[in-house]
Amino acid sequence: MRGRHGHHHRSDLVRIAIEALAERGLEPEFPAAVERQLQGITGPGRDDDARIQDLRARLWCSIDNDDSRDLDQLSVCEPLPGGDLRVFVAVADVDAVVAKDSPIDRHAWTNTSSIYTSARVFPMLPERLSTDLSSLNPGQDRLALVTEMVIAADATITRASVCRAWVHNHAQLAYDAVSAWLDGEGPLPEAAARVPGLEAQLRAQDELAQRLRARRHERGSLELETFQPRAVFEDERIVDIRQQVHNRARQLIEELMIATNECTARQLQAAGVASLRRVVRSPERWLRIVDLAREYGVQLPAEPDSKALEAFLAERHRADPLRFPDLSLVVVKLMGPGEYIVEQPGAEPVGHFGLAIQDYTHSTAPNRRFPDLVSLRMVKAHLAGQPSPYSSAELMALARHCTAQEDAIRKAERRVRKSEAALLLEARVGESFDAVVTGSSEADTWVRILTPPAEGKLVAGGHGLAVGRRLRVKLVRADVERGFIDFALNGRDPRG
């Protein structure tokens, strides 16, 4: 609990996180039935189906966060004549370990996702599964669903198929180290250097990802940069808050996952079954976005146009990277959040406005996200010639539930982030910081300090300030329990 002088510790944040989850209808802990089922699981998924391919010899590797142990996907590629590339993405066959409607599955259905706070992660599946028996861990043979894509030199997907296979992760790699190497700022990670041929493999995947990325942006896929800082701990003590950098290795995995999700949606559509789609609708508040762009001297079309919006965002990112996260947040709010819907075969797709893609589902993270496990089960059923394991009514209920729980998780994680920032700052009351105005109403003004990155309310001297204004502010309160951070105006930054 609290230390001397009223200071808080990491354990307080864990308690606050548990309370925030429970208040929003989420289960912070696994029910007893989950533990009983877990005791009966003796090893990873097994299946002697003769149609399962053996792809273990391919140079599979994973790239994830430094501290990630729930490895959902592996990737590998090979050149083809004429400049085409064959890409394989393997997704953990969680269904081989977690049966539909079992206690573990019901808990996963309740939360719908792993929940990430800096003080503690609340995994969707028990750690013995998500970090071991259903994880694509290095040096282990695992069952997976493998999507094979042929991608042309112009980054179009010309062919795609899916199969069940055995895979073997030859190297567990981390985003930051791989990105530093790709940018020429660090060595090839040791785990990759030990595997002959993996260096060339990573370069080929990176080159492909950058081509996929360029093509997405040509189509109008939006590049947004939201403000999501994470606390850094040394044991019980918080030492920093850092904004996550979207680096080149993250882009590599992001592009391969987007391509795989697109192919999965099309596979289910071709199978003639209803599917759980991830959509971002064409913005109903487009004219508000038009008004926003006009404030920067840019005229957007009267009808929703993702290519025009992406061009505006790219220009603003180049012109003012400091304030770009705040502009991104305004655009995200005006666009509306992503949601899950059921798409019937043959229906006109709603699409994903933010990615400029018509067919899209979530299918690449079944250890961490329940809709992905649903998609995996549906694809497996199709491959086996069996009916869909989910009726249209079940899928519709799932779509509503997953959308609602995603909103609850977002609010809970944001609540905890506020307490994290207050914990780092509670010993610095009275200090002054550089800040920028991020929000303003008749009643309140909100600011973001730059170092460390944290948001709070301006409670004295800030009425009528324009969003984007640079300021000096003084910290007057940091309330860890309630997640309140208050500042007073301490002079205007002459840089404006």
Side-chain angles (χ1 to χ4, degrees), residues 159-357:
R159 292 201 308 277
S161 60
V162 64
C163 70
R164 297 185 67 200
W166 287 100
V167 298
H168 185 99
N169 184 355
H170 294 273
Q172 180 180 355
L173 306 174
Y175 289 129
D176 291 351
V178 171
S179 191
W181 168 69
L182 288 171
D183 290 334
E185 297 172 357
L188 179 68
E190 186 181 341
R194 285 197 300 264
V195 182
L198 195 52
E199 177 175 359
Q201 178 63 232
L202 289 168
R203 293 237 183 253
Q205 291 187 44
D206 170 62
E207 183 185 343
L208 170 65
Q210 292 303 315
R211 280 193 277 131
L212 288 169
R213 187 175 182 80
R215 178 170 172 78
R216 270 203 307 119
H217 291 305
E218 285 170 12
R219 290 197 314 241
S221 182
L222 305 181
E223 189 73 24
L224 296 160
E225 184 181 307
T226 52
F227 178 67
Q228 291 189 323
R230 298 299 299 271
V232 180
F233 288 91
E234 289 179 0
D235 298 321
E236 272 284 292
R237 194 168 64 91
I238 188 169
V239 294
D240 200 3
I241 290 179
R242 294 176 194 154
Q243 174 75 330
Q244 183 174 283
V245 177
H246 193 63
N247 59 36
R248 192 158 178 143
R250 289 181 185 277
Q251 291 172 0
L252 188 164
I253 296 302
E254 180 179 76
E255 295 306 325
L256 295 185
M257 296 312 108
I258 289 171
T260 305
N261 285 330
E262 191 174 0
C263 290
T264 302
R266 290 177 179 169
Q267 291 279 349
L268 291 170
Q269 184 182 54
V273 296
S275 60
L276 194 62
R277 293 290 183 100
R278 177 66 174 182
V279 304
V280 173
R281 298 178 187 275
S282 184
E284 292 181 1
R285 292 185 285 179
W286 175 256
L287 293 180
R288 294 274 302 279
I289 296 176
V290 171
D291 291 341
L292 177 67
R294 192 179 294 120
E295 294 176 18
Y296 294 91
V298 173
Q299 184 61 52
L300 294 178
E303 296 297 322
D305 185 326
S306 61
K307 287 185 72 170
L309 179 55
E310 165 56 14
F312 163 64
L313 290 169
E315 188 279 326
R316 290 315 308 162
H317 189 271
R318 287 190 297 270
D320 194 353
L322 173 70
R323 297 174 175 91
F324 188 70
D326 307 306
L327 175 64
S328 292
L329 182 60
V330 174
V331 171
V332 166
K333 286 180 177 177
L334 290 174
M335 281 173 48
E339 61 184 296
Y340 294 100
I341 66 164
V342 177
E343 205 143 275
Q344 301 293 341
E348 183 70 25
V350 172
H352 193 299
F353 184 85
L355 293 175
I357 290 174

Side-chain angles (χ1 to χ4, degrees), residues 52 55 112 116 168 171 196 198 256 260 271-272 295 315 325 354-355 364 375 419 443 456-457:
I52 297 174
L55 301 180
T112 72
Y116 297 92
H168 185 99
L198 195 52
L256 295 185
T260 305
E295 294 176 18
E315 188 279 326
L355 293 175
T364 55
S375 292
S419 286
K457 185 189 288 190

